[in-house]
Amino acid sequence: MFGGSRIVVGLEIGTSKVCAVVGEWHEYGPMEVIGLGLASTLGGVRKGEIVNAEPVEDAVRLALSEAENQSDVEIDSVYLGITGSHIKGMNGCGVHLIPSVDREIDREDVRQVVTAAHPQISTDNKVLHTVGQVFRVDGQGDVKNPLGRMASRLEADVHVVYGQRNRIQNSLRLVKGLGIKVEDFAFNGRVMALPILTPQLGEQGVLVIDIGAGTSEYAIYLNGSIRHCGVLAVGGGHVTNDLAVGLKLTQSRAERLKLAHGSAVCELSCAHRTINYSSDVGIGAKQIEVGDLHQIMNVRLEELFQLIKIDLERQKLVGKINGGVLLSGGVARTPRINELAQEVFQLNVLTSAEKHADEDSRILRPETLTGVGLAEHAVKQIKAGSRRKRGLLNWLLESK
């Protein structure tokens, strides 16, 4: 399309916005973002799932149109992001006994052990990703490539991400109804880290949290592979609602005050400072204390982090995360949220700027990382597909 280059489009339908990202790439070299479109969903999405199709359709059209104008590309297909509290992650472990003595492990052995490792998923659910983690050969762990090794026992660990089939189909049908082909789809929590996660962090162990308006997705990368993921139906909209209820404000006023004066940690220096403003309906003036605003935000955001921490403790992963925490999503812009995350998880909190200090800040701001990640995931899938002909092992190892 552009002198031998190829084009991919990532499309994220979020609770507050649609994000469309056009990426251009060559067989060798990184992907470059050449178009970005954003549009408000206007209440058409709740907790990451479509509840009113009409405003979402309009938002998808607007976002794709803006991305087309920037990139000078006609978009007819996308890679679609999927989220929602119905998305789950499950680990599986499989064992395959090599049937004869003194025989090398071959591709059929690998296929059988991966099949054995795949956990059983009900027919009401659809698998989004099967991610290979590690092989073990005769008890020796962390084997990346078991082919050709002499063994009597082969084991494999996989991580499977799945969700309710009908709820996944809602987003697919909406996009296809606009005449746009869905090339593939991916769980937002799997791809959100791609623009900011370095190989070193992936090996050390890192927790990535994307806090959007209606949902918070999180994923743990360890030894270079995703180890666990989840979705909470809690996001920035819940912070706004708490402020509206606690301070007796309208939703719109609470949102504006959150953005203008909010903090994830109580600011002692200005706790008793008051904010004066006219009411939304023009009746008199009101005032609130900044300390009350910060306290309400702190309680909700700390609860969110604690819920994620409890899940990590249940999975016995807390002590294995040595690389730190990466925050993304619009709520990641909240002042002092890094301090709160560090206090809860007792880990360093990293920023996307540490990897992309010289990149376009509009493209790699927290609220667009998932859209960029979907485009990067598309490139990885296309490249892996061209190599898949070489066998299952290549797919398994490259699917990370």
Side-chain angles (χ1 to χ4, degrees), residues 198-235:
T198 64
Q200 293 80 4
L201 287 174
E203 289 291 337
Q204 292 173 1
V206 65
L207 167 63
V208 186
I209 307 174
D210 185 293
I211 312 173
T215 61
S216 295
E217 295 123 350
Y218 57 97
I220 296 87
Y221 287 81
L222 186 62
N223 298 327
S225 174
I226 190 170
R227 188 55 52 95
H228 180 64
C229 63
V231 182
L232 294 176
V234 180

Side-chain angles (χ1 to χ4, degrees), residues 115-344:
T115 300
H118 204 290
Q120 293 296 315
I121 304 297
S122 73
T123 56
D124 294 337
N125 292 312
K126 182 175 183 61
V127 173
L128 297 174
H129 305 285
T130 299
V131 185
Q133 294 177 336
V134 71
F135 292 102
R136 288 180 296 278
V137 178
D138 286 342
Q140 179 188 355
D142 297 329
V143 175
K144 298 293 184 182
N145 185 349
L147 287 177
R149 295 178 61 124
M150 306 291 291
S152 59
R153 179 186 177 94
L154 177 62
E155 299 173 73
D157 293 341
V158 300
H159 183 73
V160 175
V161 182
Y162 63 96
Q164 291 184 14
R165 186 178 299 273
N166 288 339
R167 293 163 79 174
I168 291 171
Q169 286 295 329
N170 287 332
S171 296
L172 296 177
R173 281 196 293 266
L174 183 141
V175 175
K176 291 178 180 178
L178 298 175
I180 303 296
K181 180 181 178 182
V182 177
E183 297 282 359
D184 201 356
F185 47 87
F187 170 47
N188 290 348
R190 165 116 190 265
V191 304
M192 64 185 178
L194 292 179
I196 55 178
L197 183 65
T198 64
Q200 293 80 4
L201 287 174
E203 289 291 337
Q204 292 173 1
V206 65
L207 167 63
V208 186
I209 307 174
D210 185 293
I211 312 173
T215 61
S216 295
E217 295 123 350
Y218 57 97
I220 296 87
Y221 287 81
L222 186 62
N223 298 327
S225 174
I226 190 170
R227 188 55 52 95
H228 180 64
C229 63
V231 182
L232 294 176
V234 180
H238 297 80
V239 177
T240 300
N241 186 68
D242 290 349
L243 292 173
V245 173
L247 301 176
K248 296 180 174 57
L249 304 169
T250 63
Q251 291 282 333
S252 59
R253 173 64 71 181
E255 178 70 12
R256 290 196 294 272
L257 286 176
K258 179 184 75 173
L259 297 176
H261 303 282
S263 174
V265 175
C266 298
E267 296 272 9
L268 297 178
S269 62
C270 58
H272 298 293
R273 180 168 62 85
T274 59
I275 302 171
N276 297 295
Y277 58 91
S278 299
S279 68
D280 289 327
V281 294
I283 302 175
K286 295 187 68 175
Q287 66 178 26
I288 65 167
E289 288 193 354
V290 173
D292 294 336
L293 176 72
H294 292 178
Q295 178 66 23
I296 293 171
M297 294 182 65
N298 173 263
V299 169
R300 173 62 81 171
L301 292 172
E302 182 176 358
E303 178 191 42
L304 169 61
F305 288 148
Q306 290 288 357
L307 288 172
I308 295 173
K309 184 179 180 180
I310 289 170
D311 187 33
L312 300 189
E313 289 173 340
R314 189 183 301 119
Q315 300 293 328
K316 299 181 174 20
L317 289 170
V318 172
K320 299 178 181 179
I321 302 171
N322 300 314
V325 180
L326 282 164
L327 298 179
S328 68
V331 181
R333 291 180 174 273
T334 304
R336 302 188 69 178
I337 195 170
N338 286 5
E339 294 178 43
L340 180 60
Q342 185 168 344
E343 178 184 344
V344 172

Side-chain angles (χ1 to χ4, degrees), residues 13 24 27 36 51 82 98-99 119 139 152 174 177 190 197 219 254 267 272 295 302 319 347 375 380 393 399:
I13 302 176
E24 180 183 5
E27 185 176 356
L36 172 66
V51 294
I82 302 293
I98 309 302
S152 59
L174 183 141
R190 165 116 190 265
L197 183 65
E267 296 272 9
H272 298 293
Q295 178 66 23
E302 182 176 358
L347 293 166
K380 289 185 65 175
L393 179 64
S399 66

